[in-house]
Amino acid sequence: MLDNWDCILFDADDTLFHFNAYAGLQRLFAGYDVQFTDQDYADYQAINKPLRVDYQNGTISALQLQTQRFNHWSETLSVAPEILNSGFLSAMGEICTPLPGAVSLMNRLHGRVKMGIITNGFTALVISEQVGVPKPDAKIFDYALKQMGNPDRQRVLMVGDTPESDILGGMNAGLKTCWLDHGTRPLPAHIHPTWQVKSLSELETLLAG
């Protein structure tokens, strides 16, 4: 089945890598002598999650998301929210780990297909912040495929764990899609991935078939 693909695109967070936001925030605030608690994290997520939905829907910018989620801590610590956000991204980069099966899958695909990462995270790779729109907007996929030589879209696979951005975005761009189902949420009725797997090892087996 690998012969069917010229390019495979991946989401990053919880598709190839595990990013522990709580640990990243603890690491960030330890630098300011703050013991970041479970309640602090709950309060942060109460602000961050709606902002991420607004960003995905295109109603706020990446900069607005990055700064507004740290406004409270900016006032508390008298540190600019941009500085807190930059420190958080650095901390996340230091603690992220590959998901089980990711290294084996990358080794299997290396040299056989072009690979790319499209993430609604912030600056690195093909990134919604740089393109100006987040997934599921087809423009970010258009941009990524242009960088990869405009392959035939019937020979491009998008792999991700979030139906509303990764899978719907791939569908909007005319790509085949594979949903990495972690078993934590149902698939929305209007989103139809081409394939569905429970792990990256299962995806490797599917692609090798």
Side-chain angles (χ1 to χ4, degrees):
M1 189 172 166
L2 267 179
D3 292 339
N4 295 343
W5 309 109
D6 292 331
C7 174
I8 300 179
L9 301 172
F10 294 91
D11 173 48
D13 189 4
D14 287 329
T15 296
L16 291 179
F17 303 100
H18 175 62
F19 294 94
N20 186 331
Y22 185 22
L25 288 163
Q26 288 181 313
R27 191 181 186 112
L28 165 67
F29 287 114
Y32 296 94
D33 295 323
V34 171
Q35 184 174 359
F36 192 79
T37 66
D38 289 352
Q39 186 57 53
D40 289 330
Y41 184 60
D43 293 342
Y44 167 85
Q45 286 291 59
I47 296 170
N48 183 59
K49 285 185 175 181
L51 288 173
R52 290 200 73 91
V53 172
D54 288 342
Y55 173 60
Q56 182 176 304
N57 291 337
T59 57
I60 64 172
S61 69
L63 180 60
Q64 287 173 305
L65 165 57
Q66 291 170 316
T67 55
Q68 289 178 25
R69 64 184 178 180
F70 285 114
N71 277 347
H72 163 72
W73 286 103
S74 173
E75 295 171 4
T76 301
L77 300 172
S78 298
V79 177
E82 295 86 354
I83 292 176
L84 292 174
N85 186 74
S86 178
F88 174 54
L89 296 182
S90 295
M92 293 299 287
E94 292 167 1
I95 67 173
C96 75
T97 55
L99 259 64
V103 173
S104 176
L105 176 61
M106 294 299 101
N107 287 337
R108 174 68 68 98
L109 298 180
H110 180 67
R112 301 187 66 177
V113 297
K114 291 182 179 179
M115 292 181 283
I117 291 178
I118 299 183
T119 174
N120 279 356
F122 305 110
T123 297
L125 321 162
V126 171
I127 315 184
S128 55
E129 182 184 7
Q130 294 174 327
V131 179
V133 294
K135 297 175 292 184
D137 195 306
K139 291 187 183 69
I140 189 172
F141 294 89
D142 296 342
Y143 177 89
L145 294 174
K146 183 179 179 181
Q147 305 308 304
M148 303 178 85
N150 289 314
D152 179 352
R153 295 193 184 211
Q154 291 299 306
R155 295 181 58 81
V156 178
L157 177 64
M158 174 65 200
V159 180
D161 71 300
T162 306
E164 295 86 351
S165 56
D166 303 322
I167 305 307
L168 183 58
M171 291 167 58
N172 289 342
L175 312 179
K176 296 290 194 302
T177 59
C178 182
W179 180 39
L180 179 57
D181 174 16
H182 294 300
T184 58
R185 50 171 304 171
L187 181 68
H190 66 291
I191 298 177
H192 306 286
T194 314
W195 291 285
Q196 182 173 330
V197 298
K198 298 287 189 183
S199 67
L200 292 177
S201 297
E202 185 179 345
L203 175 59
E204 182 177 349
T205 299
L206 176 69
L207 291 172

